[in-house]
């Protein structure tokens, strides 16, 4: 039954949407299954990884003439029967996100050579992440990138998703120079009551809101806003937050002491931030979480700056992606579709059961 329920990719909109998504996250983890419609076929990957993450290695892959990013979950031999358990929530959340500033999720590919290894597949971003892009292209206009990440985070929050680990390494840059938010490994779903449905670490030192260092505080949309301010800071200055501190421990102590990232001076080798944007960043870094601006207000402030954007237009990426997924996914044996009302009833019943 879990595989059948999870096959329904379209979650209805409305007040129950966050409950349905949270149930999907819980169900995938407890049942240790994922929707078979996300299984990919015919994917190949290079022998050696291009990058290493906390729990996965990143390879360049191929399907026919299309270049892919293959994120291989690192797993020990004795864990091969439980490869996806710790990462199913990422897949369940990521698979139900669709926005021009969110990295697309194509599906799951099982690399079955030796120890079976599960891989999350997405488009290959030739410009790498924001760190790499800004280092390689310091001349590019920054404000379009600021608007990109503001739009992406706004979409996440409107979808009741808290990213929990916003930082420049988790933002990729497309061939057209547009920023796409990725890496939902510790993201969580919140309901209208504020409850969260995952228990995850809270982020990365230098990028985390101060309240997350206190006790058992979980990441929230308001802690995301602090991190979004840090992300703006990185884009505009090309410096990491608290760059003046050589160690993460020093940066952590500065945050706990109530400090915010220092306003840069161009003479020290980084770019300046104008008064309007600096005022917005200071509001994002308010020590009182509920005093921080909501993401919709942040996006509106950035839009009202009337940013010039000379980047090439993006073609119909959604339809191209649908065609690709149709070609590469394994056909499921379960052919009947569950409508949204049926899906709601099943998942809400599962949520109520102990």
């Amino acid at each position: 039954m879990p595989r059948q329920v999870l096959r329904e990719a379209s979650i209805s909109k409305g007040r129950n949407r966050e409950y349905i998504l949270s149930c999907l996250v819980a169900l995938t983890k407890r049942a240790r299954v994922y929707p078979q419609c996300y299984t990919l076929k015919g994917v190949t990957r290079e022998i050696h990884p291009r990058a290493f993450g906390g729990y996965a290695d990143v390879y360049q892959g191929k399907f026919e003439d299309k270049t892919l990013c293959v994120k291989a979950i690192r797993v020990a031999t004795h864990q091969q029967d439980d490869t996806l358990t710790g990462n199913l929530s990422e897949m369940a959340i990521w698979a139900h996100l669709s926005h021009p500033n969110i990295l697309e999720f194509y599906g799951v590919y099982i690399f079955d050579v030796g120890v079976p290894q599960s891989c999350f597949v997405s488009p290959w971003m030739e410009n790498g992440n924001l760190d790499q892009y800004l280092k390689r292209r310091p001349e590019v206009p920054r404000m379009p990138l600021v608007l990109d990440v503001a739009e992406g985070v706004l979409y996440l929050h409107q979808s009741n998703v808290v990213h929990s680990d916003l930082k420049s390494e988790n933002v990729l840059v497309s061939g057209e120079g547009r920023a796409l938010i990725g890496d939902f490994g510790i993201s969580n779903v919140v309901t209208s009551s504020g409850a969260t449905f995952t228990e995850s670490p809270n982020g990365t030192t230098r990028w985390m809101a101060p309240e997350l260092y206190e006790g058992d505080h979980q990441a929230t949309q308001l802690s995301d806003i602090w991190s979004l301010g840090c992300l703006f800071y990185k884009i505009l200055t090309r410096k990491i937050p608290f760059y003046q501190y050589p160690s993460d421990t020093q940066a952590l102590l500065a945050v706990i002491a109530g400090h915010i990232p220092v306003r840069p001076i161009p003479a020290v080798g980084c770019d300046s931030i104008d008064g309007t944007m600096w005022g917005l960043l200071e509001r994002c870094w308010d020590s009182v979480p509920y005093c921080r601006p909501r993401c919709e207000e942040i996006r509106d402030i950035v839009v009202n700056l009337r940013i010039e954007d000379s980047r090439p237009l993006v073609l119909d990426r959604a339809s191209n992606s649908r065609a690709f997924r149709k070609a590469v996914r394994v056909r499921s044996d379960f052919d009947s579709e569950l409508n949204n009302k049926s899906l709601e009833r099943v998942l809400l019943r599962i949520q109520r059961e102990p």
Side-chain angles (χ1 to χ4, degrees):
M1 182 61 178
R3 294 175 189 268
Q4 298 174 6
V5 171
L6 291 170
R7 188 176 190 276
E8 176 61 59
S10 175
I11 296 179
S12 62
K13 299 183 184 299
R15 63 187 182 88
N16 281 332
R17 185 187 189 282
E18 67 268 26
Y19 288 103
I20 296 171
L21 182 54
S22 65
C23 288
L24 283 170
V25 172
L27 183 58
T28 53
K29 292 187 73 173
R30 290 178 186 176
R32 297 183 180 182
V33 297
Y34 61 90
Q36 292 302 290
C37 64
Y38 294 140
T39 301
L40 306 181
K41 60 182 179 181
V43 174
T44 61
R45 74 179 197 195
E46 295 177 335
I47 297 174
H48 302 293
R50 298 288 187 99
F52 303 92
Y55 66 90
D57 302 323
V58 177
Y59 296 80
Q60 188 177 87
K62 284 281 189 180
F63 175 76
E64 297 179 351
D65 61 346
K66 191 174 185 67
T67 305
L68 306 171
C69 174
V70 179
K71 182 178 177 181
I73 310 303
R74 204 177 298 122
V75 58
T77 304
H78 66 278
Q79 296 174 312
Q80 57 183 306
D81 293 331
D82 199 24
T83 307
L84 275 179
T85 300
N87 307 98
L88 285 171
S89 61
E90 175 178 12
M91 189 220 66
I93 292 173
W94 190 9
H96 289 91
L97 300 175
S98 178
H99 186 272
N101 297 115
I102 300 295
L103 184 66
E104 293 169 279
F105 174 78
Y106 283 158
V108 179
Y109 172 68
I110 306 299
F111 187 73
D112 197 6
V113 176
V115 178
Q117 191 173 32
S118 298
C119 308
F120 294 161
V121 180
S122 59
W124 181 262
M125 296 289 114
E126 54 265 46
N127 281 319
N129 63 36
L130 262 179
D131 280 342
Q132 297 162 333
Y133 184 64
L134 293 174
K135 186 177 295 184
R136 193 167 56 247
R137 298 287 306 278
E139 79 285 356
V140 297
R142 312 293 169 69
M143 288 305 296
L145 294 170
V146 166
L147 182 56
D148 285 346
V149 295
E151 294 278 14
V153 175
L154 175 59
Y155 167 77
L156 291 178
H157 288 185
Q158 290 176 336
S159 302
N160 302 101
V161 172
V162 176
H163 188 281
S164 306
D165 197 19
L166 290 170
K167 58 182 179 180
S168 52
E169 292 177 354
N170 289 342
V171 178
L172 287 301
V173 182
S174 71
E176 299 85 8
R178 298 180 185 275
L180 293 86
I181 297 170
D183 202 329
F184 301 93
I186 63 171
S187 298
N188 58 62
V189 182
V190 294
T191 68
S192 54
S193 66
T196 60
F197 284 83
T198 60
E199 295 181 2
S200 305
N202 284 326
T204 303
T205 304
R206 294 180 185 268
W207 303 84
M208 286 167 55
E211 65 269 17
L212 298 181
Y213 294 105
E214 302 172 2
D216 297 326
H217 281 76
Q218 280 237 306
T220 64
Q221 291 186 354
L222 293 174
S223 63
D224 264 1
I225 295 299
W226 174 287
S227 302
L228 180 61
C230 292
L231 196 47
F232 287 172
Y233 183 89
K234 170 66 179 185
I235 293 171
L236 295 171
T237 69
R238 294 181 292 125
K239 292 284 188 181
I240 60 172
F242 302 100
Y243 67 89
Q244 69 273 28
Y245 297 110
S247 76
D248 287 346
T249 300
Q250 290 174 306
L252 183 154
L253 293 174
V255 173
I256 293 174
H259 298 299
I260 64 173
V262 64
R263 187 171 184 177
I265 302 171
V268 300
C270 58
D271 302 323
S272 61
I273 301 177
D274 68 24
T276 300
M277 283 303 299
W278 185 252
L280 178 59
L281 295 189
E282 288 184 315
R283 292 181 61 202
C284 292
W285 296 326
D286 198 299
S287 60
V288 180
Y290 63 78
C291 290
R292 296 169 196 158
R294 296 287 178 172
C295 204
E296 186 170 7
E297 181 187 355
I298 294 171
R299 189 276 311 272
D300 290 346
I301 290 172
V302 176
V303 167
N304 288 335
L305 294 176
R306 302 187 183 281
I307 299 165
E308 290 188 16
D309 190 349
S310 60
R311 297 175 297 183
L313 294 175
V314 178
L315 300 176
D316 188 0
R317 193 178 72 183
S319 63
N320 290 339
S321 296
R322 283 193 296 270
F324 169 75
R325 286 192 290 266
K326 185 176 181 180
V328 75
R329 283 182 177 174
V330 173
R331 181 177 175 82
S332 172
D333 292 332
F334 182 73
D335 291 324
S336 61
E337 293 288 344
L338 291 171
N339 62 42
N340 286 332
K341 290 295 183 183
S342 298
L343 183 66
E344 284 188 25
R345 286 196 296 270
V346 171
L347 291 176
L348 291 174
R349 187 174 71 243
I350 291 170
Q351 185 191 35
R352 288 193 294 268
E353 292 175 357

